[in-house]
Amino acid sequence: MKRRYLAAVMGLVLAIAPVNAYMVSAESAKTESSTEITEQALEEQEGQTPDGEQPPEKPDGEQMPDGEQPPEKPDGEQMPDGEQPPEKPDGEGMSGGEGGPGGQGGPGGMGQQGVDSYDAVNTYSEDAQISGETIESTGKDENAVHVTDGAKVELEDVTVSRTSTESTGGDSSSFYGVGAAILTTDGTAVIKNSKITTDAAGGAGVFAYGDGVAYVENCEIETQQDTSGGIHAAGGGTLYAWDVTAVTNGGSAAAIRSDRGGGIMVVDGGSYTSNGFGSPAVYCTADISINNAELTATGSEAVCIEGLNTLRLYDCNLSGNMTDDEQNDNTWTVIVYQSMSGDSEVGNGTFQMSGGKLTSGNGGIFYTTNTESTLTLENVEIEHADDSEFFLQCTGNNNARGWGKAGDNGADCLFTGISQTMQGDVIWDSISRLNFYMTEGSTLTGAVRQDDTWAGEGGDGCCNVVISEDSSWIVTGDSRVSDLYAAGTITDDTGAAVTIQGTDGTVYAEGDSAYTITVDSYSETADVSGAGTVDSWENHAAEQA
């Protein structure tokens, strides 16, 4: 028989920034369900960068070539005229989801004000151990298991089933975990050797919210409906996973999913597959580290990172297959952006990938717009789509989705390839700032092109390229670079030297190639101290419960 439990959670405030996640000691007991909470979420802050014309500092403050100060962040990070973040444009689809970038369901809007209570089949407010049981949930917007009041609940060899045709999903599910199979909001849930299935809107497999901590080990998770992530953290929750197999089939249902308020997720091993339209393998509005996992999106970009959040991948196989959409300026595999929806704090989005393989089924590889970002690749095997449009695009956008003000929504990107083989064009525009490093034997085969299609009336953006002595650029077309620091080699694909010529007509290097690189300045020395680095997995790995 379903029980109800009501407990006021005091002191929560509405905030737009990620909330710190806390490991909570657990003391609980099973009680009646329906936990009352007050409003939760966010404060928005704006990252700033100092003025200057040379390549920007790395996030840790190391200086760029010649020791100059970093340039200003491009305009467009501010919300237009100081107003609140705009509503999603028409056509964004489902709220509270990660499909927005791909056009298959937009991020949640600003209207959600929290939930008053949770309904659950089983609510635990004291420590408990459950083994070998089957727990079924069929109620509207109901949790099968809810851990609260600091409880530590261990579930082993359990089968959890959540099925409902009446559940609403949406923001209350995406932001707060309403309707998830297993939810922890203030306590610790340890789930081992178990099977979790959901067929209900908003039916995430395991959800960690607020002061909730979840450990998920050797489990199978499958969800069917929209806004139903496999493993999910929001509102500052913390989730650790080992050797999980998670499959999602709905829209806006990333296999590894986070949402408003962020949190911490650490994933070691396992397989994560999202099959829904607009469902990346990983949707990141949190601090997420993943090691030695299979990450597959069959109908979406592989990864979406929004705002001031970080995704680190170590020895993972990552693949995406985004569908072309005329509402998008292009098609990509990994996006780092700011939607202005309020679901993530404005600031630097970070993507690190070391080892493993990145596979693109359609479109270009990396796209960043309307945000600051730091992208670092180290010895990653990359498989391009046959119609690959670019390796990296760092530009503004047409604002069809409300991503900043058109003509004022460029990107500010620090990109670093470390022992990295790269193929495809690098595209930038005059309202963006790109600093592109090649270090430790990296190679780029492609052109660097300025394309002001999305730049409106233009600006003072730049693209600075820094090539270490042991790295090389194989040029495949006429290129435009602001400041070129080339200690390494520059040739075309026949091995012929490429002409390097200043915008004032100065010829810095005369080549036999048909291609020319036009620059504002040129140097045969390269200071790579400002290049990005990859954190060690050991700095983020967690011990099993």
Side-chain angles (χ1 to χ4, degrees), residues 99-426:
Q104 299 88 331
M110 293 293 293
Q112 179 66 27
Q113 298 297 312
V115 296
D116 294 327
S117 63
Y118 292 103
D119 287 326
V121 174
N122 296 322
T123 294
Y124 298 90
S125 58
E126 293 181 359
D127 292 358
Q129 294 181 332
I130 300 92
S131 177
E133 293 188 11
T134 295
I135 304 170
E136 296 183 353
S137 164
T138 59
K140 177 181 178 180
D141 299 330
E142 176 184 70
N143 302 109
V145 172
H146 179 202
V147 179
T148 187
D149 290 350
K152 180 176 182 180
V153 178
E154 299 180 31
L155 301 115
E156 186 162 6
D157 296 315
V158 300
T159 298
V160 181
S161 173
R162 163 107 184 94
T163 304
S164 172
T165 60
E166 298 180 343
S167 293
T168 53
D171 289 354
S172 62
S173 296
S174 297
F175 301 161
Y176 307 104
V178 172
I182 299 176
L183 169 68
T184 173
T185 58
D186 179 17
T188 301
V190 180
I191 309 111
K192 298 181 178 181
N193 307 315
S194 298
K195 184 173 183 179
I196 303 164
T197 59
T198 75
D199 192 354
V206 180
F207 197 117
Y209 174 80
D211 288 339
V213 181
Y215 293 82
V216 191
E217 303 176 18
N218 300 302
C219 292
E220 295 181 14
I221 300 172
E222 184 166 8
T223 72
Q224 299 297 332
Q225 300 299 322
D226 297 341
T227 60
S228 300
I231 55 174
H232 192 148
T238 302
L239 190 149
Y240 304 104
W242 292 266
D243 300 321
V244 169
T245 298
V247 178
T248 65
N249 297 291
S252 293
I256 299 173
R257 189 172 184 220
S258 53
D259 218 305
R260 181 172 293 187
I264 296 173
M265 302 181 78
V266 179
V267 176
D268 196 352
S271 174
Y272 297 83
T273 303
S274 58
N275 295 314
F277 196 49
S279 298
V282 183
Y283 178 67
C284 177
T285 58
D287 187 294
I288 303 176
S289 301
I290 306 173
N291 178 60
N292 194 30
E294 298 287 331
L295 309 169
T296 305
T298 64
S300 172
E301 62 265 74
V303 162
C304 171
I305 302 172
E306 182 169 355
L308 184 61
N309 293 291
T310 297
L311 174 62
R312 308 172 193 88
L313 302 179
Y314 305 91
D315 296 318
C316 292
N317 288 328
L318 173 68
S319 64
N321 190 26
M322 181 176 166
T323 303
D324 295 335
D325 188 326
E326 63 181 10
Q327 195 175 6
N328 296 321
D329 297 329
N330 56 64
T331 305
W332 55 82
T333 306
V334 174
I335 185 171
V336 185
Y337 82 124
Q338 174 57 253
S339 73
M340 313 307 292
S341 69
D343 287 346
S344 65
E345 185 178 358
V346 172
N348 192 90
T350 299
F351 176 84
Q352 298 178 3
M353 186 169 184
S354 177
K357 183 177 181 179
L358 170 57
T359 301
S360 173
N362 188 35
I365 305 296
F366 295 99
Y367 177 44
T368 182
T369 187
N370 195 41
T371 193
E372 298 175 7
S373 64
T374 301
L375 312 180
T376 309
L377 299 181
E378 182 177 28
N379 195 28
V380 177
E381 180 184 353
I382 300 177
E383 183 175 325
H384 300 76
D386 292 338
D387 66 344
S388 183
E389 302 163 5
F390 51 83
F391 174 73
L392 169 66
Q393 181 170 326
C394 173
T395 65
N397 65 84
N398 67 12
N399 194 36
R401 300 191 177 282
W403 299 349
K405 182 179 178 182
D408 201 24
N409 55 8
D412 187 345
C413 177
L414 168 61
F415 180 93
T416 304
I418 305 169
S419 301
Q420 185 61 51
T421 299
M422 299 165 282
Q423 180 179 336
D425 289 353
V426 173

Side-chain angles (χ1 to χ4, degrees), residues 443-461:
T443 301
L444 170 67
T445 301
V448 176
R449 299 190 288 112
Q450 181 178 353
D451 185 342
D452 272 4
T453 301
W454 309 276
E457 297 179 358
D460 59 353

Side-chain angles (χ1 to χ4, degrees), residues 365-532:
I365 305 296
F366 295 99
Y367 177 44
T368 182
T369 187
N370 195 41
T371 193
E372 298 175 7
S373 64
T374 301
L375 312 180
T376 309
L377 299 181
E378 182 177 28
N379 195 28
V380 177
E381 180 184 353
I382 300 177
E383 183 175 325
H384 300 76
D386 292 338
D387 66 344
S388 183
E389 302 163 5
F390 51 83
F391 174 73
L392 169 66
Q393 181 170 326
C394 173
T395 65
N397 65 84
N398 67 12
N399 194 36
R401 300 191 177 282
W403 299 349
K405 182 179 178 182
D408 201 24
N409 55 8
D412 187 345
C413 177
L414 168 61
F415 180 93
T416 304
I418 305 169
S419 301
Q420 185 61 51
T421 299
M422 299 165 282
Q423 180 179 336
D425 289 353
V426 173
I427 303 171
W428 63 285
D429 65 16
S430 63
I431 60 170
S432 300
R433 294 177 184 268
L434 171 62
N435 294 278
F436 192 95
Y437 282 83
M438 289 182 273
T439 70
E440 298 185 25
S442 293
T443 301
L444 170 67
T445 301
V448 176
R449 299 190 288 112
Q450 181 178 353
D451 185 342
D452 272 4
T453 301
W454 309 276
E457 297 179 358
D460 59 353
C462 63
C463 173
N464 305 306
V465 175
V466 183
I467 306 170
S468 67
E469 185 175 5
D470 52 1
S471 297
S472 60
W473 177 10
I474 300 173
V475 181
T476 60
D478 289 337
S479 296
R480 175 71 174 98
V481 172
S482 301
D483 299 332
L484 176 59
Y485 303 88
T489 60
I490 300 177
T491 64
D492 67 12
D493 55 6
T494 70
V498 176
T499 296
I500 301 172
Q501 181 172 304
T503 53
D504 61 359
T506 302
V507 177
Y508 296 104
E510 185 75 51
D512 299 325
S513 171
Y515 304 131
T516 297
I517 303 171
T518 303
V519 301
D520 293 333
S521 71
Y522 173 70
S523 173
E524 293 182 350
T525 62
D527 180 356
V528 298
S529 62

